[in-house]
Amino acid sequence: MFHKEGHKIILVTLVIVVACFLLADQFITIHWLRTMIFIALFIFLVLILQFFRNPKRNTHQNDNHVLSPVDGKVVVIEEVFEKEYFNEKRLQVSVFMSPINVHVTRYPISGKVVFSKYHPGKYLVAWHPKASEENERTTVVVENNTYGKVLYRQIAGALAKRIVNYAKADDTAKQGADSGFIKFGSRVDLFLPLNTKVNVSLNEKVRGGESIIAEVKNE
């Protein structure tokens, strides 16, 4: 299954690949060169297809858990001052996505969308310390009665040129459901209450809609 954000790109890519294949077959007479071109075109098509894949995830909805919004690797776990929405200290957990990861963004918790804002910006590499504040990004806050408010921020990377965010204020968010897409490499930051129990460690690989990033800490 492919994400709807990729349908047009996949179609255009397929047309270009087929056209190039036919041209190479018609005009390239050197056997090894024609073979290399065929292989390169096939690899290019496979890379585009795998980037826009949208695998079904087995989400176990639980209001005590914050699920990873994306696939990738945990690159940040630290206490920070979040100044766009909360204006107070929060626990930040960041997940970096390489171009080979699934780039669907999913709601980390169920609840009500209370804030959603798009920011145009730069395209610094996603792991750059200033990427969270200077890159193209969207900020979404979801609230429920169990966890309170959880903020997640889609951040464009050096290759990402378009962030898609479906979340709108007053929408009902369903944990694990599709909330957006980031095209070609990026990062997602989660900002959680300080009393959160984090269940992941640095460099751990996580799966969107399945991996439990954090949970309510039992007093």
Side-chain angles (χ1 to χ4, degrees):
M1 180 184 294
F2 299 105
H3 197 275
K4 62 183 180 180
E5 296 296 334
H7 290 171
K8 183 177 179 180
I9 292 177
I10 290 172
L11 179 59
V12 171
T13 301
L14 184 60
V15 171
I16 292 173
V17 167
V18 171
C20 290
F21 183 93
L22 294 175
L23 288 171
D25 188 52
Q26 180 73 25
F27 296 105
I28 304 297
T29 57
I30 303 173
H31 178 73
W32 68 265
L33 179 58
R34 187 171 62 235
T35 301
M36 292 299 294
I37 291 174
F38 289 167
I39 293 173
L41 289 171
F42 177 75
I43 292 174
F44 177 66
L45 178 60
V46 169
L47 288 175
I48 293 296
L49 292 176
Q50 70 84 31
F51 181 85
F52 287 104
R53 68 195 188 280
N54 186 14
K56 185 177 180 180
R57 292 295 161 82
N58 186 23
T59 300
H60 298 286
Q61 295 182 2
N62 188 327
D63 284 344
N64 291 311
H65 294 163
V66 176
L67 301 184
S68 179
V70 291
D71 290 22
K73 182 172 70 172
V74 178
V75 293
V76 174
I77 302 174
E78 63 181 7
E79 186 178 308
V80 299
F81 187 85
E82 199 292 307
K83 59 185 180 182
E84 179 181 358
Y85 181 83
F86 293 112
N87 285 309
E88 63 184 22
K89 287 185 176 181
R90 288 268 150 168
L91 189 62
Q92 177 182 337
V93 179
S94 299
V95 179
F96 171 74
M97 292 171 283
S98 74
I100 64 173
N101 286 127
V102 173
H103 276 60
V104 179
T105 306
R106 308 172 195 273
Y107 286 112
I109 64 171
S110 296
K112 181 181 179 181
V113 177
V114 297
F115 182 82
S116 181
K117 187 173 182 180
Y118 168 78
H119 302 270
K122 301 178 181 178
Y123 297 99
L124 302 173
V125 291
W127 57 84
H128 194 287
K130 293 185 178 181
S132 183
E133 297 180 357
E134 296 187 8
N135 277 20
E136 179 190 8
R137 62 200 181 278
T138 64
T139 300
V140 177
V141 180
V142 181
E143 181 178 22
N144 68 27
N145 293 330
T146 302
Y147 227 100
K149 295 178 178 179
V150 170
L151 183 156
Y152 69 91
R153 181 172 292 140
Q154 298 171 292
I155 303 169
L159 295 178
K161 299 301 180 185
R162 187 180 177 213
I163 292 177
V164 181
N165 173 34
Y166 304 141
K168 296 180 176 62
D170 297 325
D171 282 355
T172 297
K174 180 181 178 182
Q175 190 176 46
D178 187 346
S179 70
F181 197 91
I182 313 177
K183 295 182 179 180
F184 303 112
S186 46
R187 185 178 107 195
V188 171
D189 294 344
L190 280 165
F191 292 87
L192 311 170
L194 292 180
N195 62 347
T196 290
K197 177 186 176 185
V198 176
N199 287 350
V200 293
S201 55
L202 285 175
N203 298 315
E204 182 175 339
K205 293 182 179 179
V206 293
R207 286 165 60 88
E210 291 185 354
S211 299
I212 300 171
I213 295 289
E215 61 182 298
V216 174
K217 184 183 292 186
N218 295 322
E219 300 295 340

